Amino acid sequence: MKRIAGILTIVALTVLVAYTMFAPRSAPPSHMTELRARMKQKPPPTVDHALFPQLQGPFERPQDVAGTCISCHNHRHTEVMQSNHWNWEREEYIVGRGVVYIGKKNAMNNFCIGAMGNEQSCAKCHIGFGMDDEGFSYTDATNIDCLICHDQTDTYAKASEAGGAPEPSLDLGIIARSVGRPDRDNCGVCHFYGGGGNNVKHGDLDEAMFATTRDVDVHMGADGMDMTCIDCHVTENHNIAGKLYSLSSMNRNRATCEPCHTELPHEDEILNEHTLKVACQTCHIPVYAKVNATKTHWNWSTAGKLEDGQPYHVEDENGNHTYLSIKGSFTWGTNLEPEYQWFNGTASHYLLGDTVPAGSDLIVLNELHGSYADEDSKIIPVKVHRAVQPFDPGTRMLIMPRLYAEAVGDSAFWKDFDWVKAAEAGMGHAGLPFSGDYEFIKTEMNWPVNHMVATKENTVQCTECHTREDGRLAKLTDFYLPGRDYSPLVENGGVALLLLSFLGVLIHAGVRIGASRRRKNGGAR
Amino acid sequence: MITKTVYIYRAFERFWHWTQALLIMFLALTGFEIHGSIEFFGFEAAVTYHNVAAYALIILIVFAIFWHLTTGEWRQYIPSLTHVRTYMNYYVFGIFRDEPHPTRKSVLSKLNPLQKLTYFGLKVLIIPGMLISGLFYIFYRYPQKHGIEALNIESLEIIAIIHTAGAFLLLAFLIVHLYLMTTGETVFSNLRAMLTGYEQLHEEEEDQGINIQVISEADEEEKA
Ligand code: HEM
């Protein structure tokens, strides 16, 4: 009886161990198959705008196009005018600060510093017309630039320093008759070029993604699902899901992976458990700036050097500027490993006019909140952009200089190369004091990395984090990470114990063998 | 010396012993890979294997507990402090002089006092400690999403440190245990017994397995 029970147990255990170890674990989750099928369906347009008599043109002014759009879509403009694409501002609540309106008007960055006083040129990426230094009519619906988002000819382009107006040479009629659902080109013409050049700011939004492969971005690859931005940035009534934490602070309206992939997307339970504390992006975006370089450091303090009285520039072997008289020196990087931070969806911001406490020599312009102990936090990948930028030691404020003007003598740094004048003009324009003194201070900006998702073969592997030295999470030390952390006491004590046991055994065995030899040789006891 | 071949380790006992031995060595191997000390299977495989082996060990232990209770064999492990000293003396002195073991092994008393103490500690402290800390390690979630909030343990650290400390102790036990295996009647007699179940034991029916003569000798030596 007992023997049978014993044998049965042996068999059961062996089968159990063998099954769990070698069972096939790789059948693709069925929801992925469903998702692929869903994403393959590209809805055909419901109307053909080319047939509408109203759109036959010709259109003199871009405002005439907008007016015509509104004549049929007679509620849509109210939606657009509530969007942050239009207002360049969001109402946000910041912990410890209260409700603030954050936008290009008052936020500072560590690239071209800010939009204040530079509106004419910045408006190239605003969805409106008629912006100038004096401001902008946020109530005139015909200033909405419908075409920048809805053009399907891929020819629509905004003119430089024209307050948001299109290139005058364009035939707006042709473009108006092409309109449809925004595709990657519509979003990319602005969002790939943030910071004044391709991929400068984000690092994970690159013009290479206009047409790309799964290796660069598993969602957008033409050899894959070929998804558009709004497949994920789901939009209803012109409210687009997703925003970037350079300018937002609240945990709302985020575009996340879960609506498609669910909260527990893996076959493997242990991987699923990771989702409690680790954002999808952390493992699934091992590197960013995969094709073209992104800026990682910007040093304004070297700006203003001239050659023969003229501004000049220096390029690296890939054609990226490493020095520009008007902007200073830069460092670029490709295939960068992100840095990692805890993030609970809320952030705080340095806003124009904020003063920095004495003694601090680093300003984080958008601090991401979170920690291990915070239940809502997850680890996310971040591109940290570091800079050295002008600072007023008298008022302890970051300086918003006037950068752009049409001509020399208008205090613009890009024409006159005089920090004091540029600071005076810029801060004056913002209604803020300037002590007359300037120096340079280190700043950091956090850019969460969300795009360029890798194929599953290329995800971050266990030991890139679960490793003793130099793991990806080496800087996040507020929790116990298996494989990385240990108690030095237990570790040293344990190793010592093992060594002593071993040594004890050796000595004991040695003496035993010696004694038995002596006995055999007839030696006395 | 009169000896007799005795069936001392029954089939389940031997099965339990060797499976447990393999599982613990395997758990140590995979565990220390997870711990970052060695590289062998690869981290992900080590985690999977460690979990599977852990469940196997738990099942085995449940069976073993059942067996020990139903057969009454658990009584073998009740420690007593008598003769502990004598036995220590044996391992430090007597063994080198080829003295006989101070206590005699029998079916009713398989373990010497030091073994009783050690195995008792193992079964009551270390193995349950590993098991409980291991299960906490498996089911640990912070926060308990969709789970029971009251079970929130804010840090894995204490669990992991207890588990690691236990692992070191088990390894140290293993080293010493493997060595002491050779200190039976002959170098291989203990091993053979645990493999076949049979061992040559001294025949002395009525006594309690205690070698009175040796003990009194040892006590005298102590006094001297
Ligand atoms: C029933 C018993 C056991 C259970 C349930 C268990 C469970 C676990 C779990 C869940 C982990 C964390 C790794 C993971 O996520 O899979 C772990 C780690 C570990 N285990 Fe076990 N284990 C058991 C027995 C053992 C034994 C017998 C040993 C060694 C002799 C051992 C040594 C280790 C070590 C060294 C680690 C790494 C700890 C660290 O670095 O944090 N475990 N164990």
Side-chain angles (χ1 to χ4, degrees):
Chain A
M1 204 27 222
K2 277 198 191 115
R3 188 156 279 216
I4 296 170
I7 293 168
L8 280 183
T9 325
I10 300 180
V11 173
L13 278 174
T14 327
V15 170
L16 178 90
V17 171
Y19 176 75
T20 24
M21 277 191 186
F22 303 110
R25 323 168 51 88
S26 56
S30 65
H31 77 261
M32 283 304 291
T33 325
E34 268 168 45
L35 262 184
R36 289 205 181 91
R38 199 168 92 209
M39 283 303 151
K40 268 225 166 73
Q41 290 168 359
K42 311 279 175 193
T46 46
V47 291
D48 183 354
H49 282 83
L51 303 179
F52 291 146
Q54 293 94 322
L55 290 178
Q56 300 311 314
F59 297 101
E60 283 247 327
R61 304 178 319 136
Q63 281 88 347
D64 299 340
V65 180
T68 312
C69 301
I70 293 167
S71 70
C72 289
H73 298 278
N74 55 17
H75 269 304
R76 291 304 197 184
H77 60 287
T78 57
E79 296 166 10
V80 173
M81 290 162 82
Q82 278 161 23
S83 73
N84 33 264
H85 269 110
W86 173 258
N87 289 314
W88 262 7
E89 163 176 286
R90 288 190 190 93
E91 187 185 72
E92 297 280 345
Y93 174 82
I94 300 182
V95 188
R97 183 161 192 154
V99 174
V100 282
Y101 292 85
I102 308 177
K104 297 225 193 267
K105 290 178 216 136
N106 58 353
M108 305 278 282
N109 66 46
N110 61 6
F111 295 84
C112 281
I113 301 176
M116 281 292 267
N118 306 307
E119 287 86 351
Q120 282 268 10
S121 69
C122 297
K124 196 177 176 185
C125 278
H126 183 243
I127 59 155
F129 312 119
M131 186 176 286
D132 59 28
D133 292 359
E134 304 310 311
F136 176 72
S137 164
Y138 287 97
T139 50
D140 181 354
T142 60
N143 272 336
I144 297 174
D145 188 351
C146 307
L147 297 180
I148 188 70
C149 299
H150 293 283
D151 159 45
Q152 293 303 304
T153 64
D154 295 349
T155 58
Y156 186 79
K158 282 169 170 276
S160 289
E161 281 137 29
E167 290 285 355
S169 61
L170 293 170
D171 182 338
L172 298 176
I174 295 176
I175 294 166
R177 290 190 288 279
S178 80
V179 294
R181 276 166 64 86
D183 62 14
R184 240 184 281 163
D185 301 278
N186 298 98
C187 309
V189 288
C190 290
H191 290 279
F192 293 166
Y193 300 95
N198 177 43
N199 208 18
V200 165
K201 271 186 178 169
H202 292 266
D204 61 342
L205 291 178
D206 179 341
E207 65 188 7
M209 290 152 97
F210 282 132
T212 191
T213 58
R214 295 177 74 238
D215 282 337
V216 174
D217 188 297
V218 80
H219 296 108
M220 295 192 186
D223 51 348
M225 288 300 108
D226 204 5
M227 288 162 63
T228 63
C229 306
I230 56 172
D231 284 333
C232 298
H233 294 272
V234 175
T235 304
E236 249 178 85
N237 302 332
H238 285 96
N239 176 32
I240 302 172
K243 72 257 178 85
L244 195 78
Y245 281 91
S246 51
L247 284 173
S248 51
S249 351
M250 287 168 74
N251 190 5
R252 59 169 182 192
N253 201 34
R254 295 166 77 180
T256 56
C257 316
E258 286 85 352
C260 286
H261 290 285
T262 77
E263 277 186 26
L264 303 172
H266 307 98
E267 289 266 284
D268 186 303
E269 266 309 299
I270 293 178
L271 290 184
N272 276 340
E273 284 164 21
H274 281 71
T275 62
L276 211 52
K277 282 291 178 192
V278 182
C280 310
Q281 298 93 311
T282 301
C283 299
H284 289 276
I285 311 179
V287 290
Y288 63 97
K290 287 185 194 169
V291 185
N292 293 301
T294 186
K295 260 180 206 171
T296 56
H297 290 84
W298 183 318
N299 184 355
W300 277 100
S301 74
T302 60
K305 284 188 260 181
L306 302 176
E307 260 172 17
D308 307 326
Q310 290 301 315
Y312 67 99
H313 69 261
V314 184
E315 286 179 7
D316 67 12
E317 65 274 19
N318 300 317
N320 299 312
H321 289 140
T322 53
Y323 181 75
L324 275 173
S325 298
I326 60 168
K327 294 181 176 179
S329 17
F330 315 113
T331 316
W332 299 76
T334 42
N335 284 314
L336 296 167
E337 213 171 81
E339 297 179 34
Y340 298 92
Q341 296 184 19
W342 286 108
F343 187 42
N344 62 13
T346 69
S348 50
H349 300 269
Y350 179 94
L351 297 179
L352 186 58
D354 285 352
T355 53
V356 183
S360 60
D361 50 4
L362 172 75
I363 308 176
V364 180
L365 297 182
N366 63 330
E367 197 181 326
L368 307 181
H369 301 153
S371 68
Y372 172 80
D374 171 8
E375 297 196 1
D376 299 321
S377 292
K378 293 189 183 189
I379 296 170
I380 60 157
V382 181
K383 171 193 166 178
V384 181
H385 182 258
R386 300 188 162 81
V388 175
Q389 70 190 87
F391 174 72
D392 182 340
T395 62
R396 299 205 60 80
M397 288 177 194
L398 280 178
I399 292 171
M400 175 64 252
R402 169 175 292 176
L403 294 175
Y404 171 78
E406 295 208 357
V408 176
D410 212 359
S411 310
F413 186 79
W414 288 353
K415 300 281 182 196
D416 298 346
F417 300 101
D418 183 333
W419 279 119
V420 175
K421 279 192 191 149
E424 236 160 35
M427 295 302 265
H429 182 82
L432 289 169
F434 171 57
S435 69
D437 217 2
Y438 74 93
E439 56 187 43
F440 292 89
I441 192 166
K442 281 191 208 150
T443 61
E444 281 181 7
M445 245 190 128
N446 298 311
W447 294 76
V449 176
N450 296 308
H451 307 93
M452 295 196 176
V453 174
T455 54
K456 72 164 183 271
E457 296 76 28
N458 290 312
T459 47
V460 172
Q461 298 300 300
C462 309
T463 45
E464 293 183 49
C465 300
H466 294 280
T467 183
R468 285 280 166 96
E469 307 286 335
D470 297 330
R472 284 180 183 255
L473 301 183
K475 282 193 196 149
L476 295 184
T477 52
D478 61 343
F479 68 106
Y480 182 92
L481 178 61
R484 178 191 73 178
D485 295 329
Y486 55 88
S487 145
L489 181 70
V490 168
E491 196 74 2
N492 296 334
V495 172
L497 179 69
L498 292 189
L499 286 179
L500 283 180
S501 308
F502 204 67
L503 213 68
V505 161
L506 278 186
I507 292 174
H508 199 275
V511 176
R512 238 174 97 206
I513 293 168
S516 103
R517 283 239 175 91
R518 247 178 293 134
R519 268 197 311 275
K520 264 192 209 131
N521 297 342
R525 172 176 129 170
Chain B
M1 236 182 279
I2 323 143
T3 60
K4 183 174 110 182
T5 305
V6 182
Y7 187 49
I8 185 164
Y9 299 119
R10 280 176 273 174
F12 177 81
E13 208 171 5
R14 283 175 283 137
F15 162 71
W16 162 63
H17 173 269
W18 289 113
T19 319
Q20 171 154 295
L22 283 179
L23 283 175
I24 286 183
M25 285 189 261
F26 188 68
L27 282 162
L29 182 68
T30 49
F32 277 99
E33 173 147 24
I34 296 163
H35 190 57
S37 319
I38 50 172
E39 254 178 72
F40 191 70
F41 293 111
F43 189 88
E44 193 172 0
V47 169
T48 313
Y49 296 168
H50 195 82
N51 283 358
V52 173
Y55 279 120
L57 183 62
I58 290 172
I59 294 170
L60 182 70
I61 287 174
V62 170
F63 274 89
I65 290 175
F66 179 74
W67 182 85
H68 277 89
L69 289 180
T70 49
T71 57
E73 284 289 304
W74 59 274
R75 288 197 191 86
Q76 302 258 7
Y77 297 91
I78 302 172
S80 82
L81 290 178
T82 40
H83 310 315
V84 166
R85 183 104 194 221
T86 321
Y87 238 95
M88 302 238 271
N89 276 340
Y90 170 72
Y91 280 120
V92 179
F93 302 109
I95 190 168
F96 301 128
R97 304 174 195 140
D98 204 19
E99 280 171 8
H101 283 247
T103 61
R104 210 157 326 114
K105 207 166 171 180
S106 73
V107 177
L108 288 179
S109 176
K110 295 182 236 186
L111 304 174
N112 73 43
L114 278 183
Q115 281 175 316
K116 281 187 185 171
L117 205 61
T118 312
Y119 296 167
F120 183 77
L122 212 59
K123 290 181 164 208
V124 170
L125 292 176
I126 314 275
I127 301 244
M130 288 308 277
L131 219 122
I132 292 166
S133 61
L135 285 174
F136 267 112
Y137 216 136
I138 290 178
F139 293 107
Y140 166 84
R141 303 280 178 289
Y142 180 77
Q144 286 282 342
K145 212 171 185 187
H146 315 307
I148 308 161
E149 293 242 341
L151 284 184
N152 270 352
I153 304 168
E154 300 215 350
S155 170
L156 182 59
E157 187 158 14
I158 185 72
I159 299 170
I161 287 177
I162 291 175
H163 199 72
T164 312
F168 275 116
L169 287 176
L170 271 180
L171 267 192
F173 165 79
L174 193 72
I175 294 174
V176 176
H177 184 72
L178 280 177
Y179 172 67
L180 289 179
M181 176 188 77
T182 67
T183 63
E185 212 54 52
T186 67
V187 169
F188 292 110
S189 63
N190 278 339
L191 179 63
R192 196 174 309 117
M194 196 43 101
L195 283 170
T196 64
Y198 291 95
E199 186 169 4
Q200 304 264 321
L201 294 182
H202 300 280
E203 192 173 11
E204 227 158 315
E205 298 283 297
E206 331 79 283
D207 81 304
Q208 299 303 300
I210 292 165
N211 211 334
I212 295 154
Q213 193 194 346
V214 175
I215 282 178
S216 48
E217 228 176 69
D219 285 348
E220 264 163 39
E221 238 164 61
E222 228 169 87
K223 277 176 215 145

